[in-house]
Amino acid sequence: MTQASPDFYDEGTLVAVLTAQPLEGPLDYLAPEGGVMAGAFVEVPLGPRRVLGVVWGPGRGGFDLKKARGIGRVLDVAPMRVEMQEFLRRAGEYTLTPLPAMLRLATRAPGLSDPPSMQKIYRLGDTEPARLTDARARVLEVLRDHGGLGFTLKEVSDLAGVTSSVVKALVAQGAVLEEDTPRDTPFVPLDPDLPAKALTEDQAAAAARLRMGLQAGSYGTTLLRGVTGSGKTEVYLEAVAEALRQGGQALVLLPEIALTAEFLTRVEVRFGTRPAEWHSGVTMTERRRVWKMVGQGGAQMVVGARSALFLPFQNLALIVVDEEHDTSYKQEDGALYHARDMAVLRASLCGARVVLASATPSLESWANAEAGKYERLDLDARFGVAVMPELAAIDMRVETLPSNRWISPTLQAAVNARVAAGEQALLFLNRRGYAPTTVCRACGHQIGCDHCDARMVEHRFQKRLICHQCGESAAMPEACPACGVAGKLAAVGPGVERLAEEAAALFPQARIAVLSSDLFGSARALKEQIVEIAQGAADIIIGTQLVAKGHNFPLLTLVGVIDSDLGLQGSDLRAAERTFQLMRQVAGRAGRAERAGRALLQTFQPEHPVIRAILAGDEEGFWRAEAEGRRQAGVPPYGRMAGIILSSPDMQAVFDLGEALARRDGPIRAVGAQVFGPAPAPIARIRGRHRVRLLVKAPKGAAIQAAVSEWIAQVRLPAQMRLTVDIDPQSFY
């Protein structure tokens, strides 16, 4: 049979089908009865199995067509658009990720091959049960927390930790509704013309510029830099409204699941209903629905984590990357991509606009704005009556406090004053757990992980030692595992749990809440705690970097940073930038309402350029100095880098291969680049695998991907050896 058009393949035509299986590329199959569209999602035989695939183009042939197998069936979902295929191809080429692995990112929805059918779902009813047990209360709480979403019986039972009979009993009393519904239904349309919040003059001007960009109908990226509390969200929601008015779809990426609850409420107020959600806290049923509806145009707006970039948008008009500087936008396993960069790539391919929003932009985005690649909009004043907090340093060299204490007398007095005034104080320390190191006072042994070259971190609330690299945990021992002496193990250094212990002793009348990601069993529990704190349920908040990510606590007027110097040292080229961002973001939690705020930074280096820049509020001065240092060193964003990590259970084998690569660096030198290493990675063993790192440093315009591909193709990997390439590495562990 002949092919009817480039977009359709008649029955019996040889077509290439890309699957997410770890193969070199597409395989040839025969188009099924009735033909098949280009980009169609299909089910194909692969050995004894049937797997999901996408019709990628015409088949290559070159073999006996009698041996060609046919496509099993075409799935009832929207075909993959050409721009999406191009995005996966270009993203794979940039990150040196095989195409099947890229397709896996784009098909992360369960049950895509399931036929449409009716199912029973459960929603919150409008009556109260006759008797409210703990189990019934948990069911109702789950349904309330998810804003009226429907769940399958298994999902609501699992989320509430109850048996299905508890849910059924609530149905019988009308407290929970049981409904028959198609498996996947469109989302309620958002109304962009509902009244918006009154904007300040600066906000209105910024919103108008973003609307103009969308009306132009072509690609462009805008850096929306606004001080914490300046109302960036209201500004970019007006850009979302414009995208919806034009019939386009909008994607808003957030760096942290805990941020979604407050943000979804703001979206609902602005547009009259909730958008689609895509992150690890969403049920499997809802993930499949979002995936299908995005592809069919039945979801206008998606709020999600970085993986939402790979959803099959039909008419994507706007991508917002909120807190664009956040390190969690870098995927650190599997396909190693940065969501901010991939958002720009995806938008450029489909003519969409990108808004990168942050109070403390990444140096990459700052440099692109300086070079004129991105438009830049600034919001320099807080919204309404709120003003920026006063910033001051506490010089720890002149403070008097015992060696086992970390809250200085100056900070203690400031906290007491705020709590006495009915306000909240935040004590910030970017270390999870109770103590980072456990040492034996008898022999000096430091308890490490058996599988990693990392210290075990004591988590006293859980009575466990936990490795933050591999997740291995063990009960806290009574005796030293090295010398066997009991009663001599001592915690060294502070973590948030130890800080909470100290705060309880210093402020016995205060209500203390600890916000750390590992203290909550679910994202829902974390969201609940954040809402309660915002409503005044705590006097003193003790938290890790989790609290720096966009939360709004109206009563919070004092921020105390326990160790401002943590992170200033080290081999990471972004250490100064990240410290600057984190300190500015944390300080920005203070005084976001009508009460004036203050931020106190405990430091042993008050004269350090980063600390001085933070205190002076001289952001542009900091960026210019940091940019000049990077430019002179020829490192990103004024040069290119690639990290290669080799790992194996055999330490000698991994060093031998690293040295072989270093000797054969011809392809790297050919593009004017250099190879550094091999050297043990800073964490030289994780999960029992020895790790060696090589670093490639290249000029800005070098074709680094092609050079690295040719370079690593010279060696064959021994059994159990893994080689990982990280283009534009964000971390160097």
Side-chain angles (χ1 to χ4, degrees):
M1 302 283 294
T2 58
Q3 182 184 330
S5 79
D7 300 323
F8 186 82
Y9 300 95
D10 290 330
E11 178 182 345
T13 304
L14 198 66
V15 297
V17 175
L18 180 69
T19 73
Q21 306 304 308
L23 305 168
E24 286 191 9
L27 300 174
D28 285 352
Y29 290 89
L30 297 174
E33 183 180 352
V36 66
M37 293 284 294
F41 287 84
V42 295
E43 195 176 76
V44 294
L46 185 65
R49 298 176 296 150
R50 289 187 171 273
V51 299
L52 180 72
V54 174
V55 176
W56 209 250
R60 289 180 300 176
F63 64 94
D64 183 358
L65 294 187
K66 292 178 182 176
K67 295 181 179 178
R69 303 174 77 178
I71 288 173
R73 67 186 180 97
V74 180
L75 306 188
D76 186 24
V77 297
M80 180 179 285
R81 297 170 63 86
V82 172
E83 70 200 31
M84 182 64 172
Q85 290 190 32
E86 183 65 11
F87 172 58
L88 295 180
R89 187 181 293 112
R90 294 269 294 275
E93 288 172 355
Y94 188 89
T95 60
L96 296 184
T97 303
L99 205 46
M102 296 306 302
L103 181 62
R104 197 173 307 127
L105 291 174
T107 51
R108 277 185 170 168
L112 287 183
S113 57
D114 294 349
S117 61
M118 301 296 284
Q119 67 172 352
K120 291 192 182 299
I121 63 165
Y122 298 82
R123 300 184 191 277
L124 190 65
D126 52 10
T127 61
E128 289 294 321
R131 189 169 61 87
L132 191 63
T133 64
D134 285 346
R136 290 178 177 182
R138 290 201 299 275
V139 172
L140 299 178
E141 186 181 11
V142 164
L143 295 176
R144 283 193 200 100
D145 284 351
H146 287 78
L149 291 178
F151 295 92
T152 64
L153 184 59
K154 183 178 187 311
E155 285 170 346
V156 73
S157 300
D158 288 350
L159 282 169
V162 301
T163 62
S164 58
S165 60
V166 175
V167 182
K168 290 286 190 180
L170 288 168
V171 170
Q173 296 187 38
V176 172
L177 303 179
E178 181 183 79
E179 302 171 356
D180 283 319
T181 181
R183 281 187 178 271
D184 305 302
T185 55
F187 288 81
V188 176
L190 286 80
D191 185 352
D193 296 318
L194 287 177
K197 273 189 177 181
L199 301 181
T200 65
E201 188 176 334
D202 285 352
Q203 285 178 313
R209 291 285 293 274
L210 293 179
R211 280 195 295 268
M212 285 172 58
L214 281 153
Q215 289 161 4
S218 58
Y219 159 73
T221 294
T222 300
L223 174 61
L224 178 61
R225 189 206 68 83
V227 298
T228 51
S230 60
K232 294 182 293 294
T233 303
E234 278 68 35
V235 171
Y236 71 64
L237 284 181
E238 292 314 298
V240 171
E242 183 62 31
L244 300 183
R245 286 189 195 101
Q246 295 180 15
Q249 293 170 302
L251 168 62
V252 177
L253 298 180
L254 299 178
E256 178 65 52
I257 292 175
L259 295 174
T260 56
E262 181 187 352
F263 182 76
L264 291 171
T265 300
R266 294 168 82 168
V267 172
E268 189 169 8
V269 169
R270 175 62 184 86
F271 299 114
T273 189
R274 292 167 77 90
E277 290 181 68
W278 181 271
H279 51 72
S280 60
V282 173
T283 64
M284 292 295 103
T285 298
E286 193 67 7
R287 284 172 76 88
R288 186 188 61 238
R289 178 193 178 201
V290 171
W291 194 96
K292 288 189 175 181
M293 289 304 107
V294 165
Q296 295 172 19
Q300 297 165 288
M301 179 181 181
V302 177
V303 175
R306 59 182 179 237
S307 59
L309 267 176
F310 295 91
L311 287 170
F313 288 96
Q314 182 190 68
N315 185 19
L316 185 58
L318 175 68
I319 304 174
V320 177
V321 185
D322 201 2
E323 308 290 351
E324 65 87 27
H325 65 278
D326 199 285
T327 55
S328 62
Y329 282 125
K330 179 64 188 274
Q331 169 84 13
E332 295 284 10
D333 54 49
L336 306 183
Y337 66 90
H338 198 299
R340 178 195 63 230
D341 301 338
M342 292 301 109
V344 171
L345 172 61
R346 177 138 201 206
S348 70
L349 294 172
C350 63
R353 306 293 292 191
V354 179
V355 175
L356 305 177
S358 176
T360 55
S362 61
L363 187 58
E364 282 81 358
S365 296
W366 182 88
N368 279 326
E370 287 287 294
K373 293 180 181 178
Y374 298 167
E375 182 182 17
R376 174 169 163 175
L377 300 175
D378 290 289
L379 300 173
D380 289 318
R382 284 193 154 178
F383 183 78
V385 297
V387 294
M388 290 300 291
E390 173 199 346
L391 291 159
I394 298 174
D395 188 344
M396 297 299 286
R397 296 171 300 186
V398 299
E399 293 283 321
T400 303
L401 73 166
S403 60
N404 62 343
R405 285 261 306 277
W406 288 273
I407 300 172
S408 65
T410 301
L411 181 56
Q412 181 183 352
V415 171
N416 275 324
R418 297 290 174 158
V419 173
E423 299 168 2
Q424 289 177 326
L426 165 66
L427 300 178
F428 173 82
L429 177 66
N430 199 21
R431 277 198 184 118
R432 293 179 289 150
Y434 182 81
T437 309
T438 301
V439 175
C440 174
R441 287 194 178 125
C443 70
H445 174 71
Q446 298 182 10
I447 298 183
C449 176
D450 290 338
H451 311 289
C452 307
D453 283 347
R455 294 164 178 156
M456 296 287 270
V457 177
E458 182 182 349
H459 286 247
R460 191 158 293 188
F461 291 174
Q462 301 173 33
K463 298 182 175 62
R464 309 285 290 176
L465 289 170
I466 298 176
C467 174
H468 286 178
Q469 296 303 321
C470 70
E472 178 75 17
S473 75
M476 187 70 196
E478 294 291 331
C480 172
C483 69
V485 176
K488 290 290 185 179
L489 293 176
V492 176
V496 285
E497 294 175 15
R498 192 171 195 179
L499 192 62
E501 195 176 84
E502 181 179 338
L506 291 178
F507 313 106
Q509 305 306 315
R511 297 166 300 161
I512 296 173
V514 181
L515 280 182
S516 180
S517 56
D518 47 19
L519 296 179
F520 295 88
S522 67
R524 184 170 60 86
L526 177 56
K527 289 177 188 176
E528 285 174 4
Q529 176 79 321
I530 289 168
V531 170
E532 289 173 8
I533 291 170
Q535 293 170 349
D539 303 309
I540 299 172
I541 307 156
I542 294 175
T544 62
Q545 65 176 350
L546 179 72
V547 299
K549 298 185 177 184
H551 302 298
N552 185 19
F553 301 118
L555 299 174
L556 180 63
T557 58
L558 176 69
V559 168
V561 180
I562 299 303
D563 189 351
S564 301
D565 308 325
L566 185 64
L568 281 177
Q569 278 71 41
S571 59
D572 188 346
L573 66 90
R574 295 182 177 86
E577 176 187 356
R578 286 177 176 159
T579 300
F580 179 80
Q581 290 166 336
L582 190 56
M583 295 300 104
R584 291 288 291 175
Q585 290 279 343
V586 171
R589 298 308 107 203
R592 292 171 69 97
E594 60 273 6
R595 308 185 197 202
R598 194 172 187 220
L600 299 175
L601 280 59
Q602 293 190 163
T603 174
F604 288 92
Q605 306 176 70
E607 70 289 339
H608 192 288
V610 174
I611 301 296
R612 286 165 58 189
I614 294 165
L615 296 175
D618 184 13
E619 294 193 19
E620 292 304 313
F622 172 79
W623 292 130
R624 281 193 293 271
E626 184 72 5
E628 185 55 33
R630 300 260 196 103
R631 188 182 281 110
Q632 290 181 7
V635 296
Y638 304 102
R640 302 204 61 195
M641 297 186 90
I644 288 82
I645 292 285
L646 300 167
S647 70
S648 168
D650 184 337
M651 183 167 62
Q652 190 59 50
V654 84
F655 269 100
D656 289 347
L657 187 66
E659 287 166 359
L661 273 172
R663 287 193 302 270
R664 303 179 191 178
D665 65 345
I668 300 298
R669 285 187 284 106
V671 295
Q674 296 172 272
V675 175
F676 297 92
I683 302 173
R685 189 171 58 106
I686 295 180
R687 296 184 181 90
R689 299 183 66 85
H690 298 276
R691 306 169 73 246
V692 162
R693 187 183 72 189
L694 297 101
L695 203 57
V696 176
K697 179 185 167 191
K700 177 75 172 169
I704 194 170
Q705 284 90 344
V708 169
S709 294
E710 185 183 346
W711 179 46
I712 62 178
Q714 298 178 101
V715 297
R716 290 191 61 181
L717 296 184
Q720 294 194 301
M721 181 78 70
R722 292 182 199 150
L723 185 153
T724 303
V725 178
D726 187 0
I727 303 293
D728 304 331
Q730 294 291 305
S731 63
F732 296 86
Y733 69 90

